[in-house]
Amino acid sequence: MTIKNKAYIAGIYEHPTRHAPDKSTAQLHAECAKGALEDAGLTKADVDGYFCAGDAPGGVMPMADYLGLKLRHLDSTETGGCSYIIALGHAAEAIAAGKCSVALITLAGKPRTGPMPPRAFGPEVDFEAAYGATTHNAYGMCAMRHMHEFGTTSEQLAWVKVAASHHAQYNPHAMLRDVVTVEDVINSPMISDPLHRLDCCVVSDGGGALVVTTPEIAKSLKRPLVRMTGHGESLKGPNGGRKLDLTYSAGVWSGPPAFAEAGVTPKDIKYASIYDSFTITVVVQLEDLGFCAKGDGGKFVADGNLISGVGKLPWNTDGGGLCNNHPINRGGITKIIEAVRQLRGEAHPKVQVPNCDLALVHGTGGLLGVRHAASTAILERV
Amino acid sequence: MTDKPKYPAPVGNPETAHFWDAAKQGKFLIKRCTACREPHYFPRSICPVCFSDQTVWEESKGEGVIYSYSLMRKSPTGPYAIGYVTLDEGPSLLTNFVDCDLTALKIGQRVKVVFKPTDGAPLPFFTPVG
C-alpha cells in the first residue's frame, strides 16, 4: 500500500509563545490542536484519529481524554524530535487504510519554564548512562569525526546558522532575530568541541499541531491543497559496536523510500525543511538525503546556499530550531508547518520560494552520535 | 568525604551480571558469538549480528583507539570528555576519557581501560597510553 496522494495536510498551527510560565503542557497541546483545526475549518467532533509522542502528559490516553476526543485510531510512537514526521506518515497510512478520516497530531512542552522530562534509557543504561551523553556532546562527536574524515570546517558549519538567521529576521515570533556572520558563530563560546554556542539551537516553550485528512475532505475545505506523496522512517545506533560510523545518519535509509514513493529526486525539491538541532545535523542530513555527495555537506552549505532567494536549496525559512523555536527540544513538527506554509504560498514574502510546489521535510530524533531515528516526508502542492 | 564515589553504581541484571563480577576482579569483558565469530559490546545474550544464542564471554585487553570525542565545557560538574573507543578486538564503545589532559585528546590516539570505583561494581573508563 502506498500513501502517495492519499492524505492531505489540511490544518497547521505553530504556537506563538516561546515562554509559557502561566500555561500547563496539556493546555499548550490543546491550544495547538484548536489552532490547527480552526486553520483547517474543521472541529473537534470531526477528529477520529490522534497521534502524539513522549511530550504529551501521561501519553496518548490521558491526553486524548483531556482533549475530549472520540477516536477510532490512536498512536503514540516515541522517536524524539522526529516523532511528528513519523506520526505524519503513520496518519497518512491510517487514512489510506480507512482507519480514520481526520487525524490530529500535537506537540507541546515548556522546557524553558519547567523541568525537562528525564532522558529514558534502555538496555544500554549500565554501559552508557554514567558517561554523560547529552545532545551537545553526542552531536559534537559527530562533528568531530566529520571534520576528521572530510575536512569539514567550523566556518562551513557556521553558514547553516547564518542562513537560519537571515530567515529569522523576518519572523516576528523568532527567538533570535539578529542576522549573524560566520565570525559571530566561530567567536561564540565553545560548548562541546567542536560546537560553539551559535552552532546550537534555541530552547523554547511552545508547540504545534497538524490536521491530516482524506483527499475528499481536504477538497471540501477552503484551504490550499497540500498532499503527502512519500514517506520513510528508520533508526540507527552503535549496532553492538559493529562498524561504528558517526558520519552518516538514519536518513540514508529514510530518504530513499520517501523519494521513491513520491517518484522524485533531490534535484526536484524546491524547498527543504531539515531539522537543525545543531549546524552539523543539517550538514549530515543534506548528504544522507542525496542533496550532495557524502563529505561535501560543508561545501554545500557554504556561501549562503541555504538562504532563500540566494542559494540553491532554500531551507528552514522560519528560522528553524537554530533561531525561531524548538518547542520541548523537538523540532519535527515545526519543520512540517513551515513546509506547508511554503507550499500554500503563505511563508513570509521575503523568504517565500516562487512557485513552491514540492517540498521535503526531514528530521532526526534522539542523539545523533548515540542512537537516533529519522523520518522523511515529501509534500506536494496540488 | 574525599573517598565518596563520583560515579553511579551499575544496577545490573541477570544478562550482564558476569560482566560486573569480572569488573570487580579488574577484568574487562566483551561478548563473542561462537556461531558467526563476531564480537560485540555492550554484552547481549543473543548475538546482535546473526541472532544466535551461542554468545560467550571473552576477556578483552581493554586497548584501542579513539574513534571520536567531544569535550563538554559547560557542565555543572566540570568539563568532561565523552567519546567512542574502537577496541583492538573490533567493537566500539561509548566512554569517558579520564586521568589525562582533556584538551590534548585526538582521534586515533591509543587508549586503555581503567576502572573507577562506585558504590557497586567499578565502571570502565579509558585513558591515553603513554
Side-chain angles (χ1 to χ4, degrees), chain A residues 121-137:
Chain A
F121 284 93
E124 77 286 0
V125 60
D126 283 335
F127 298 90
E128 293 185 5
Y131 303 122
T134 69
T135 48
H136 301 81
N137 58 17

Side-chain angles (χ1 to χ4, degrees), chain A residues 234-255:
Chain A
S234 189
L235 63 84
K236 178 173 178 278
N239 189 30
R242 304 285 307 153
K243 300 183 176 74
L244 184 74
D245 187 342
L246 295 187
T247 65
Y248 73 95
S249 74
V252 297
W253 299 304
S254 70

